[in-house]
Amino acid sequence: MNYFVGIDIGSTAIKITVIDENRTLMGQRISGSGSMFYKYAHQTLNDLLNDLNITKDEIVYTVATGYGRKLFKEADESISEITANAIGAVAAAKEYGEIKTIINIGGQDSKAISLDDQGNVVNFAMNDRCAAGTGKFLDACAMNLEIGVEELGERHFKATGTPLSINSTCAVFAESEIIGLLGNSHSVEDIVSGVHYSIAKRVIKLVKRVGVKEGIYFDGGPALNMGLVNAIENELGKKIFIPEHPQVTTSYGAAILGAESYAYQQQMKT
Ligand code: ADP
């Protein structure tokens, strides 16, 4: 059997997806990017292939994407995360219906991508200059509040009253603001919800730059945080779709593109 690998080397996490020739999802794995992207990407791939009982010879095409994609020199192809994200999102959202707008929040950036009726990227906007509105900001807030990032969602729903406003546009000042709110006896839950609404407002500004088209989809690690999802939906006044595994859709898109490139190359040979 032939298999295809998509490797997304993100600023915070490495995500790997393996699919077969029928585009069936065989398996996925996530590990921290750490300081040695290349080494960890190989380790993660080896571990995933071992788990799946697939040998390296059975991998016929590998596509690398993400911030550190150029470091994975063994890849047959490397593509931008915007393209991979769009392909993966369209495939992951098949049962949901057509998606026209993708919101992606990663470790160090956030993006809004606009798609046409065929699922092609027509426009995108990106924030990679400022930590506010990214996963790193959520990580720092969770750390200041002495809770895990995976607890943020649940805490959000326990907030009472009007969400607190976090006004600082810079992540460093926002962290000081959070410490100030703690000093003023505000609850962790109310602060968490305030953080989510401040990120939601930033992300919506980004989405407005490409145009808010119905069929809104959200992925990246922070899409696992249902509190953030709730804040974005409330601020937008629209429902958004979250795939089952939101952190791995970009690597899924890379694997799909790998299968397409391989099929095209085989066709050219005949
Ligand atoms: P990148 O592709 O830039 O490496 P990811 O899409 O992997 O980024 O997102 C990483 C971010 O996802 C982390 O910084 C963290 O804030 C968030 N995250 C990861 N796992 C969870 C979780 N279980 N619950 C909530 N947020 C999470």
Side-chain angles (χ1 to χ4, degrees):
M1 182 64 125
N2 289 336
Y3 297 101
F4 307 90
V5 170
I7 301 189
D8 173 14
I9 305 182
S11 61
T12 307
I14 292 163
K15 281 79 64 177
I16 304 189
T17 296
V18 178
I19 60 169
D20 71 7
E21 323 178 289
N22 306 316
R23 318 265 164 102
T24 307
L25 181 66
M26 305 307 296
Q28 299 185 304
R29 203 170 180 105
I30 303 171
S31 68
S33 300
S35 58
M36 290 181 282
F37 290 8
Y38 178 77
K39 185 176 164 201
Y40 295 149
H42 273 279
Q43 260 174 17
T44 310
L45 177 60
N46 288 340
D47 292 346
L48 178 58
L49 295 183
N50 278 341
D51 283 358
L52 298 174
N53 236 332
I54 293 175
T55 65
K56 283 217 163 133
D57 295 342
E58 291 176 289
I59 306 295
V60 292
Y61 209 93
T62 300
V63 174
T65 187
Y67 178 79
R69 64 182 179 273
K70 296 268 158 41
L71 297 170
F72 201 85
K73 302 235 179 315
E74 295 79 358
D76 297 286
E77 196 174 333
S78 105
I79 55 164
S80 89
E81 55 265 44
I82 307 284
T83 309
N85 199 161
I87 297 170
V90 169
K94 227 181 235 156
E95 280 139 50
Y96 168 75
E98 239 174 54
I99 57 161
K100 294 282 175 56
T101 310
I102 300 172
I103 300 169
N104 172 279
I105 305 184
Q108 280 189 183
D109 60 25
S110 41
K111 307 178 201 84
I113 306 171
S114 178
L115 304 179
D116 66 14
D117 292 344
Q118 281 72 47
N120 301 310
V121 176
V122 285
N123 196 5
F124 75 91
M126 188 159 172
N127 155 38
D128 59 357
R129 309 257 147 191
C130 163
T134 69
K136 282 274 184 284
F137 181 47
L138 286 162
D139 298 345
C141 294
M143 200 184 72
N144 280 318
L145 298 171
E146 294 192 284
I147 57 173
V149 77
E150 64 294 333
E151 275 180 73
L152 290 169
E154 175 189 327
R155 296 290 189 125
H156 172 96
F157 291 104
K158 291 187 179 145
T160 49
T162 316
L164 291 173
S165 62
I166 314 280
N167 297 311
S168 305
T169 47
C170 165
V172 177
F173 291 128
E175 271 188 74
S176 312
E177 212 180 323
I178 289 164
I179 294 162
L181 290 169
L182 280 172
N184 279 325
S185 312
H186 286 288
S187 72
V188 167
E189 287 73 16
D190 287 356
I191 297 173
V192 167
S193 135
V195 165
H196 290 157
Y197 276 96
S198 89
I199 295 179
K201 287 190 176 100
R202 288 189 147 257
V203 166
I204 288 163
K205 274 191 196 151
L206 202 62
V207 180
K208 285 191 173 153
R209 277 168 52 193
V210 300
V212 186
K213 285 191 283 183
E214 292 282 349
I216 306 166
Y217 165 102
F218 174 28
D219 69 9
L224 289 162
N225 175 345
M226 283 304 137
L228 179 60
V229 172
N230 172 261
I232 298 176
E233 284 187 334
N234 287 343
E235 284 293 315
L236 258 182
K238 294 186 193 303
K239 278 302 278 177
I240 52 182
F241 172 70
I242 317 295
E244 199 182 345
H245 304 292
Q247 205 173 359
V248 283
T249 40
T250 298
S251 64
Y252 183 40
I256 294 172
L257 189 109
E260 283 170 5
S261 292
Y262 181 76
Y264 179 74
Q265 286 180 8
Q266 295 305 105
Q267 214 180 354
M268 287 294 114
K269 281 186 192 160
T270 55

